[in-house]
Amino acid sequence: MNFKKIILFTLLFSPLSLLACDICGCGVGSYYIGILPEYNKRFIGLRYQYKQLQTHLGPQGNVTPLTTDETYQTAELWGGWNFGKKFRVLAFVPYNFNERSSQASSGSKSGLGDIAVMGYYNLFTKNTSLSSKLLVHSLWLGAGVKAPTGKYEPSERLAVTETPNNFQLGTASTDFTLNAAYDVRLNDLGVNLNVNYKINTANKYEYRYGNKLTTNALLYYKFRLFHKLTFAPNAGILYETANKDIENNKYEVAVSGGHSASLVTGFELAVNKFSVGANYQTIVSQELANQRAKAGNRLMLHVSVPF
């Protein structure tokens, strides 16, 4: 299924955007959430993510005849449920489409990814007046778990040792996350901050992906139009860093881990009981897999319905 078909699928069949190799947002691993759609009780929707990665680069990151171009697309059912004013649960069910090609060969795989659930507790929400303007800020803290529902192929790692173990649908491991989300808004101008730390465990093949930290800060402004429509453009930065993978419970995998920084631009649009959003992530700095991999810019779309 190509790029255009996935977008069409997302827009037409959603009711209204996690998970294996964590080489800084590529592969089947991404914990970027961004600004949640507006909802009081609960919502359900679909996210689409598109990412590119070059692997099998030379020792200095140069392109060689063995260099492989990889594309990772995810159509992800997601939803949120608020229990009272203090508890929130988010759930993600991804379906992944992976493709790769080089001068020598090409291949693809698709299937269910790793399902994840995150729970949050509202530490505080405060409303105060500041120079006749309304200041609202809140802090949510939480934790989550990722189940090994996606297919993992150990032959991928055994066949190629000079490229990241990235071309998987799942990790075959149960992993955990620690999360924090802070939002502060002065009237309609706000800042949204998210931090996620993913703790990976070894799978039954004695392979453990490196732990990963994902952070983002977004500045947004809400334009309220016709008493029915809210349009919120946003911009900010996303930073990701991952430790190196561990093989056989003791050997560090050289071609793994790394860090990247991206500029994020996007929007959120809410009208009646329908929300749509998009963001584009432009990578401005990266050092991945000991310079043997290079990530491309990324796109994320979502549509959702509160109910």
Side-chain angles (χ1 to χ4, degrees):
M1 187 174 292
N2 62 27
F3 177 79
K4 292 182 179 179
K5 289 181 180 178
I6 294 291
I7 291 181
L8 187 61
F9 172 81
T10 299
L11 295 177
L12 293 182
F13 291 91
S14 65
L16 164 122
S17 121
L18 283 317
L19 304 143
C21 173
D22 285 321
I23 183 169
C24 295
C26 289
V28 277
S30 176
Y31 279 86
Y32 176 80
I33 294 177
I35 299 175
L36 288 174
E38 292 187 352
Y39 71 103
N40 293 322
K41 179 78 173 176
R42 51 192 175 259
F43 79 91
I44 189 170
L46 195 69
R47 294 203 304 180
Y48 166 74
Q49 299 184 55
Y50 178 86
K51 307 166 190 174
Q52 292 178 311
L53 186 71
Q54 272 193 329
T55 62
H56 228 128
L57 297 173
Q60 303 301 319
N62 54 300
V63 176
T64 74
L66 298 177
T67 295
T68 301
D69 294 312
E70 300 177 0
T71 300
Y72 297 89
Q73 300 180 82
T74 300
E76 181 176 66
L77 181 69
W78 74 320
W81 194 307
N82 288 338
F83 296 89
K85 296 182 179 180
K86 286 292 186 180
F87 295 95
R88 168 181 292 169
V89 175
L90 299 176
F92 307 82
V93 183
Y95 196 91
N96 300 318
F97 304 85
N98 301 348
E99 296 182 355
R100 63 183 173 190
S101 63
S102 66
Q103 293 184 12
S105 63
S106 62
S108 64
K109 62 177 66 173
S110 60
L112 180 69
D114 288 344
I115 296 173
V117 177
M118 298 180 183
Y120 287 84
Y121 174 77
N122 181 223
L123 196 63
F124 65 81
T125 296
K126 295 183 178 180
N127 301 342
T128 58
S129 295
L130 183 64
S131 300
S132 73
K133 295 182 179 180
L134 179 63
L135 178 67
V136 182
H137 62 131
S138 62
L139 176 63
W140 294 77
L141 301 178
V145 61
K146 180 190 71 63
T149 52
K151 184 178 181 181
Y152 177 89
E153 298 179 87
S155 59
E156 287 283 349
R157 173 62 186 159
L158 297 175
V160 184
T161 59
E162 295 182 0
T163 191
N165 187 14
N166 209 52
F167 204 71
Q168 303 283 2
L169 297 174
T171 62
S173 62
T174 300
D175 306 321
F176 305 92
T177 62
L178 299 174
N179 318 300
Y182 176 73
D183 190 271
V184 57
R185 178 168 52 85
L186 184 63
N187 277 4
D188 292 324
L189 177 65
V191 175
N192 180 271
L193 306 172
N194 279 280
V195 178
N196 175 281
Y197 186 70
K198 183 164 177 280
I199 304 167
N200 296 317
T201 67
N203 61 27
K204 63 181 179 180
Y205 305 104
E206 298 186 329
Y207 193 94
R208 179 169 67 84
Y209 288 99
N211 294 346
K212 179 183 178 184
L213 174 69
T214 302
T215 63
N216 74 265
L218 294 174
L219 177 70
Y220 65 88
Y221 190 89
K222 293 188 175 183
F223 295 93
R224 304 180 190 275
L225 308 172
F226 314 114
H227 305 289
K228 292 183 178 181
L229 185 149
T230 301
F231 177 68
N234 56 78
I237 189 167
L238 168 67
Y239 178 76
E240 300 170 288
T241 181
N243 297 335
K244 290 188 179 298
D245 302 346
I246 301 295
E247 201 165 24
N248 297 323
N249 297 319
K250 58 182 177 180
Y251 298 113
E252 192 175 80
V253 179
V255 187
S256 64
H259 58 83
S260 70
S262 305
L263 296 179
V264 181
T265 56
F267 72 89
E268 301 294 321
L269 177 66
V271 53
N272 293 329
K273 292 193 177 234
F274 179 84
S275 295
V276 61
N279 70 68
Y280 189 75
Q281 301 165 22
T282 304
I283 294 185
V284 295
S285 174
Q286 63 177 300
E287 185 175 335
L288 306 178
N290 201 22
Q291 298 186 41
R292 305 302 289 273
K294 183 178 181 181
N297 298 336
R298 298 168 242 171
L299 171 70
M300 186 173 75
L301 308 173
H302 77 79
V303 285
S304 61
V305 170
F307 64 98

